[in-house]
Amino acid sequence: VRAGGWLGIRSKMVILFLVVPIIMMGVAGYISQNYLQKLSNDITEESTKLVLEEGKEKLMQKARDVALQCEIYLRAHPELEREDFFYDPEFSGIAVQTVGQSGYTCLIQQPEPDRNQNWTIWAHPNPNIIGIDDIEMIKKALGPYFEDFFKLLTSSQGMKEAEGFYMWKDPDGKIREKYMAIAPIRLEGKPFLCMSTAYIDEFTKKTEYLKDDAQKKTNQIRNINIIVLIAVIIIIGLCILIYGYRLTRSITYLTEAADRISVGDLEAEIEIRSKDEIGNLADAISRM
């Protein structure tokens, strides 16, 4: 019962003590969740960068180390011809080494126009491509990814170090990103280079797990926040409904008593024993 206005006490209590806090908590929860998500992404991205940099340095160092080992061996065995590199078990074991789980090193040769020789592999885990200088074969296999690969390869011409990312086609046809590091074998008149390469996901899979774990924990925190928010809404809502009902019931009772007094019913009894402001108001009306 209300004498004017379009909102009663219970409606105002619901708006002030339920709706407004819900909106504020919702906005705060949304902002904190977004910040937590951003923090999680930033941490995993930085971790990925650090791990990737470490992997790149590892590949380049491996290329340098193997190039130096090959140089020492070839200086000690000047009679060894390039056509025999792969078939010399000792030298092949030096030139072809594993890097991590998916990576390896190999020995390649820069083009020698005077010998009509293109880029050629002389030591490689795959014996079927030894001595083959067919760039067109690689171009056909890589398709649109060939240009990036070939640009990276040719950046080592002049017996320079080179490194970078490229896409490679697996035997099953799947295209995956790899990283290549090239270091020259410093022998006079010998255009040989050591290449160290590996799939990028070998370095980043640990941070991918970290990313998934961080995302899972972020989702758990979000779910906990939602559950807490719902619980708070229920508790506050029940408190408002119960207390609001008791408050408005007392006010309605006092209003009816005041109406009876106003028409001359001075014997009206007021039976409110509340010890708060409502009780004080009831005592005041009784005395009146």
Side-chain angles (χ1 to χ4, degrees), residues 86-262:
F86 180 74
Y87 303 102
D88 183 295
E90 191 172 356
F91 181 74
S92 180
I94 294 173
V96 181
Q97 299 184 29
T98 58
V99 182
Q101 296 179 349
S102 65
Y104 58 86
T105 62
C106 63
L107 189 145
I108 59 177
Q109 171 203 312
Q110 287 188 350
E112 289 183 299
D114 56 329
R115 296 184 55 173
N116 196 28
Q117 191 85 40
N118 209 328
W119 291 96
T120 310
I121 297 176
W122 291 114
H124 193 276
N126 183 2
N128 296 324
I129 60 176
I130 301 298
I132 296 177
D133 63 351
D134 189 0
I135 288 295
E136 290 299 320
M137 178 184 67
I138 300 177
K139 185 176 183 179
K140 183 178 180 181
L142 294 182
Y145 305 106
F146 173 77
E147 292 300 327
D148 291 335
F149 169 78
F150 194 66
K151 182 179 178 181
L152 175 57
L153 189 64
T154 54
S155 64
S156 66
Q157 279 190 302
M159 302 301 288
K160 296 181 296 185
E161 288 189 348
E163 58 183 319
F165 298 94
Y166 66 100
M167 304 302 291
W168 190 253
K169 189 175 184 179
D170 289 344
D172 60 2
K174 185 179 179 181
I175 299 293
R176 297 167 65 191
E177 189 174 25
K178 300 186 78 172
Y179 191 82
M180 178 197 304
I182 303 174
I185 299 174
R186 304 190 183 281
L187 290 170
E188 188 68 30
K190 304 291 185 180
F192 301 131
L193 301 142
C194 178
M195 184 178 76
S196 177
T197 182
Y199 288 107
I200 293 301
D201 53 22
E202 181 176 331
F203 303 112
T204 59
K205 62 183 178 183
K206 292 183 179 179
T207 57
E208 286 297 324
Y209 170 79
L210 177 64
K211 184 177 181 179
D212 293 340
D213 188 57
Q215 184 63 50
K216 186 183 297 183
K217 285 183 170 55
T218 301
N219 292 338
Q220 289 175 348
I221 293 173
R222 180 199 61 199
N223 294 337
I224 291 172
N225 288 338
I226 292 174
I227 292 172
V228 171
L229 179 61
I230 292 174
V232 169
I233 291 172
I234 293 173
I235 293 171
I236 294 177
L238 289 174
C239 290
I240 290 174
L241 291 175
I242 295 171
Y243 184 74
Y245 171 75
R246 294 179 60 186
L247 178 63
T248 54
R249 184 183 63 179
S250 298
I251 292 174
T252 301
Y253 179 80
L254 292 174
T255 301
E256 292 174 350
D259 285 339
R260 292 199 302 271
I261 293 171
S262 69

Side-chain angles (χ1 to χ4, degrees), residues 22-90:
I22 287 173
I23 294 174
M24 295 178 66
M25 286 189 293
V27 171
Y30 176 78
I31 293 173
S32 63
Q33 186 67 30
N34 283 348
Y35 180 78
L36 185 62
Q37 183 69 57
K38 184 178 182 302
L39 181 62
S40 172
N41 291 338
D42 289 344
I43 291 174
T44 52
E45 285 176 8
E46 287 300 318
S47 300
T48 301
K49 289 180 182 178
L50 291 174
V51 170
L52 194 55
E53 286 299 319
E54 183 181 353
K56 289 160 61 177
E57 292 175 5
K58 179 180 178 181
L59 284 169
M60 177 52 78
Q61 190 58 50
K62 187 69 174 179
R64 291 169 180 160
D65 293 344
V66 174
L68 180 59
Q69 294 170 29
C70 290
E71 177 187 337
I72 294 172
Y73 187 88
L74 292 175
R75 287 186 185 278
H77 299 80
E79 76 285 354
L80 188 63
E81 296 293 335
R82 65 189 72 188
E83 290 81 7
D84 298 323
F85 284 171
F86 180 74
Y87 303 102
D88 183 295
E90 191 172 356

Side-chain angles (χ1 to χ4, degrees), residues 257-270:
D259 285 339
R260 292 199 302 271
I261 293 171
S262 69
V263 295
D265 184 5
L266 302 181
E267 301 300 324
E269 294 184 2
I270 299 176

